[in-house]
Amino acid sequence: MGLLKNIAMQCRKPSGRLGRFMGRAMNSGHAKLRRWGFTHISINSDSCVLDIGCGGGMAIKEIALTLSNGKVYGIDYSEDMIQLSKKVNDKLIQQGIVEIMHGNVSDLPFEDNMFDFAIAIESYYFWPDLVNDLIKIKRVLKPGACLLLVHAAYKDEKFEKRNNKIANLLDIKFHTPDEYKDFLTEAGYKIEKTDCKPEKNWICIVAQKSENN
Ligand SMILES: C[S@@+](CC[C@H](N)C(=O)[O-])C[C@H]1O[C@@H](n2cnc3c(N)ncnc32)[C@H](O)[C@@H]1O
């Protein structure tokens, strides 16, 4: 595997020393994107939130610090990211405000109807079967609860060359905002909000699980 591909693949499932370095780099490198994403939802101080593909755990920490009576759970299928997330959220874990678990989006280790929000930042383009995985997430959301999807590379002519390079390196596919909305609709969600920052190629979609399923 070439060096560039090796580094890129660390975003898919960070591991070892390079993976931990990437996890920390994403904690700071994704700060502006995730905070922009968070402006699209209103998490209450008693909300129960799930971060899927939590990586280095900074989104968990930022949300947890806004809660007084809620809880944030994080899952990731990389053991090294679980260790890093636990380190980053050490105090909040001891206080019982954060819990971080090893797990895969396709087989979420949670009860039905548990979360007020689920978030996925720069992680859902890695999921093995996006529509089916979105359906799996719906199971753990409370009726009326929302899923927030955020990433920085939706399919767009202006960024085509850069995005194709990344997609080839990572062996993934980026989609247009309409295609993401179609996947969510197919998975049974109602689209609440879609926002893009075209100059940065950022996308944010908030989708709601209906009140009666
Ligand atoms: C590009 S990183 C983003 C991490 C973090 N959300 C952030 O914004 O910094 C993608 C993360 O998703 C995790 N991931 C990818 N596919 C996953 C899956 N099927 N189940 C759980 N985690 C997954 C990876 O291990 C990695 O930590």
Side-chain angles (χ1 to χ4, degrees):
M1 197 188 297
L3 180 65
L4 204 57
K5 178 139 182 118
N6 193 6
I7 293 170
M9 290 308 272
Q10 288 294 341
C11 297
R12 178 182 270 277
K13 192 173 189 180
S15 69
R17 193 189 287 188
L18 180 57
R20 290 190 292 278
F21 171 81
M22 291 295 286
R24 281 191 210 94
M26 289 188 283
N27 274 348
S28 48
H30 292 165
K32 284 187 180 159
L33 173 73
R34 73 173 167 263
R35 287 173 198 158
W36 174 74
F38 292 162
T39 64
H40 295 81
I41 51 174
S42 302
I43 295 175
N44 296 321
S45 58
D46 62 350
S47 292
C48 189
V49 182
L50 172 63
D51 183 4
I52 305 165
C54 62
M58 197 52 84
I60 295 174
K61 184 172 185 173
E62 288 179 356
I63 294 171
L65 288 172
T66 70
L67 305 179
S68 57
N69 198 25
K71 188 156 178 172
V72 189
Y73 291 80
I75 68 143
D76 202 291
Y77 70 174
S78 156
E79 292 282 7
D80 284 293
M81 288 304 95
I82 295 306
Q83 293 316 316
L84 178 58
S85 271
K86 284 186 174 171
K87 208 168 165 185
V88 165
N89 288 282
D90 186 24
K91 279 193 189 130
L92 292 155
I93 291 171
Q94 283 175 40
Q95 291 163 11
I97 303 169
V98 164
E99 201 169 320
I100 293 162
M101 298 155 80
H102 184 247
N104 196 311
V105 65
S106 310
D107 187 18
L108 291 168
F110 302 106
E111 290 170 17
D112 295 358
N113 305 322
M114 184 166 160
F115 295 101
D116 298 292
F117 291 94
I119 66 168
I121 302 167
E122 293 283 6
S123 65
Y124 47 97
Y125 42 77
F126 292 124
W127 297 349
D129 181 347
L130 186 53
V131 173
N132 272 317
D133 292 327
L134 292 169
I135 292 171
K136 301 266 170 72
I137 295 169
K138 227 171 47 172
R139 177 187 68 76
V140 302
L141 288 173
K142 292 177 185 171
C146 282
L147 169 66
L148 170 74
L149 299 180
V150 186
H151 86 279
Y154 62 88
K155 191 173 173 186
D156 181 73
E157 236 174 61
K158 195 171 152 199
F159 290 89
E160 197 174 358
K161 216 167 149 195
R162 180 203 72 168
N163 288 354
N164 284 346
K165 220 183 235 175
I166 299 171
N168 283 337
L169 274 172
L170 291 170
D171 199 18
I172 55 174
K173 221 176 154 189
F174 295 125
H175 298 277
T176 63
D178 279 344
E179 285 170 335
Y180 287 115
K181 284 197 276 183
D182 286 347
F183 295 142
L184 284 155
T185 306
E186 192 183 336
Y189 291 83
K190 178 176 155 259
I191 306 299
E192 273 287 302
K193 281 180 204 166
T194 310
D195 194 11
C196 294
K197 255 194 196 295
E199 72 280 15
K200 292 185 183 281
N201 201 213
W202 290 0
I203 180 168
C204 167
I205 305 182
V206 181
Q208 188 184 37
K209 172 176 169 174
S210 80
E211 290 287 351
N212 47 21
N213 80 2

